[in-house]
Amino acid sequence: MKASETGSNDTIAAVATAVAPGEGSVAIVRISGPQAEPIGRRLFVPPGDQTWESHRVLYGHVVDPASGERVDEALLLLMRAPRSFTRETVVELHCHGGLVAVQRVLELVLAAGARRAQPGEFSQRAFLNGRLDLTRAEAIGEMITARSRRAAQLAMAGIDGGLQRRLTALRGRLLDQLAELEARVDFEEDLPPLDGAAVAAELATVRGELERLVAEARQGELLRQGLRVAIVGRPNVGKSSLLNLLSRRERAIVTDLPGTTRDLLESELVLEGVPLTLLDTAGIRDTGDRVEQLGIERSRAALAAADAVLLLFDLSAGWTAQDQALRDLVPPGAVLLVAGNKADAGGLPVG
């Protein structure tokens, strides 16, 4: 499919790298569409006799054509259609990072005739122009937002087309069985009897493969999105100390006074390749303190929305009615882990 068939006759541009003040030495302004090369030639001035060839890097300066001012020292990469990510002609201007320089370059590109790209529009054009299938397009987004190494590896498998190949193979097997059935309808007298058991066995095998794909997708979702783990327990049971220990920093204030934590604290970490968001909740108890009551209300809401719950109880005091009441608040679908704390305070270890 050609770009003209998708309706993408205009030229789009955007900053293709993360932009933050004082962060990153290089930023990329990407231009895609029929006017990409003319815009590049208008704004980019290479010294000497450098040849504008596809997939060749040029050195020079981005110049404001209205004033002749040199805006930035940069590299230009030209990728003529269809040998580009979008299968359109693409120009990339590799500028200095930060905020000011790259934004000025983008403003010049837009003033030269490009339109600011919508979020994900480069990938959309790659999909519409047949450069990517839907699974690969989604995998690119997952790679960008990956929060752990395992999530990035999973996204890379999608970019390489692993999922699409498996789906295509399963589709082919189903079409083979459909052809067997339709052949018996049209040419029953000319063919041997249908082996119903073999057809049923093949369909069962394909179904098992599809169920395995669904299970892998759920596991992949956990790797991409992570788990929200609520640390709950009675006041002063050690929730904040545990959060600080797992986070390896003093994230929460710890004192011997009950009710120290009055707001919901979050800490993100990666454990065994799985992103976790730990939620340190206020100790749930009856109190007349309005501020503490608000914290307890947030704790209850976090408990109801958590993927997993770590319920701490005081070993020195044993399992109490308050601990059981907290246990009863855990949502039915959440994973529950009960752990005893303060064994050094005279409690007995539990199995």
Side-chain angles (χ1 to χ4, degrees), residues 121-187:
E121 191 169 0
F122 288 103
S123 296
Q124 180 190 47
R125 291 195 173 191
F127 169 71
L128 294 175
N129 292 336
R131 173 67 173 76
L132 298 174
D133 57 49
L134 188 57
T135 60
R136 287 184 174 92
E138 291 178 344
I140 289 174
E142 292 165 2
M143 173 65 83
I144 294 171
T145 58
R147 297 168 58 192
S148 70
R149 181 176 298 181
R150 289 179 63 188
Q153 291 172 340
L154 186 66
M156 192 63 225
I159 294 174
D160 286 341
L163 176 59
Q164 185 62 35
R165 284 192 294 270
R166 293 172 67 182
L167 290 173
T168 300
L170 291 174
R171 182 176 183 272
R173 292 168 66 178
L174 289 174
L175 288 175
D176 288 342
Q177 299 309 309
L178 180 61
E180 285 284 341
L181 295 174
E182 291 183 343
R184 294 311 187 282
V185 173
D186 295 331
F187 309 103

Side-chain angles (χ1 to χ4, degrees), residues 99-110:
L99 289 175
V100 177
V102 67
Q103 289 299 330
R104 287 198 64 191
V105 171
L106 178 61
E107 289 171 2
L108 290 177
V109 169
L110 298 178

Side-chain angles (χ1 to χ4, degrees), residues 179-258:
E180 285 284 341
L181 295 174
E182 291 183 343
R184 294 311 187 282
V185 173
D186 295 331
F187 309 103
E188 182 178 7
E189 297 179 354
D190 301 326
L191 295 173
L194 178 68
D195 188 348
V199 172
E202 177 66 0
L203 292 178
T205 301
V206 172
R207 178 176 179 176
E209 292 290 334
L210 291 173
E211 290 174 347
R212 189 173 297 111
L213 281 175
V214 172
E216 291 175 3
R218 291 171 179 166
Q219 181 182 14
E221 189 69 17
L222 292 179
L223 291 175
R224 287 187 293 269
Q225 302 297 329
L227 291 173
R228 292 180 66 82
V229 181
I231 305 174
V232 300
R234 293 185 291 114
N236 204 31
V237 77
K239 300 183 296 297
S240 296
S241 297
L242 179 61
L243 178 75
N244 290 341
L245 177 64
L246 294 175
S247 304
R248 298 183 180 180
R249 60 193 177 102
E250 295 298 315
R251 182 70 178 83
I253 298 175
V254 177
T255 72
D256 294 331
L257 300 176

Side-chain angles (χ1 to χ4, degrees), residues 18-102:
V19 178
E23 299 292 338
S25 59
V26 177
I28 298 175
V29 176
R30 179 178 293 162
I31 315 166
S32 178
Q35 294 302 310
E37 185 173 347
I39 290 174
R41 289 179 177 272
R42 182 179 180 189
L43 302 180
F44 187 78
V45 179
D49 187 19
Q50 301 185 53
T51 304
W52 287 70
E53 295 180 355
S54 185
H55 295 78
R56 177 174 178 174
V57 177
L58 303 180
Y59 164 78
H61 292 85
V62 177
V63 176
D64 185 344
S67 63
E69 175 194 0
R70 287 185 173 182
V71 174
D72 195 12
E73 183 182 34
L75 300 176
L76 181 143
L77 175 58
L78 169 64
M79 294 168 280
R80 293 195 177 108
R83 297 175 57 207
S84 73
F85 175 70
T86 61
R87 281 194 174 166
E88 302 172 336
T89 295
V90 170
V91 167
E92 288 185 350
L93 294 168
H94 294 233
C95 315
H96 286 96
L99 289 175
V100 177
V102 67

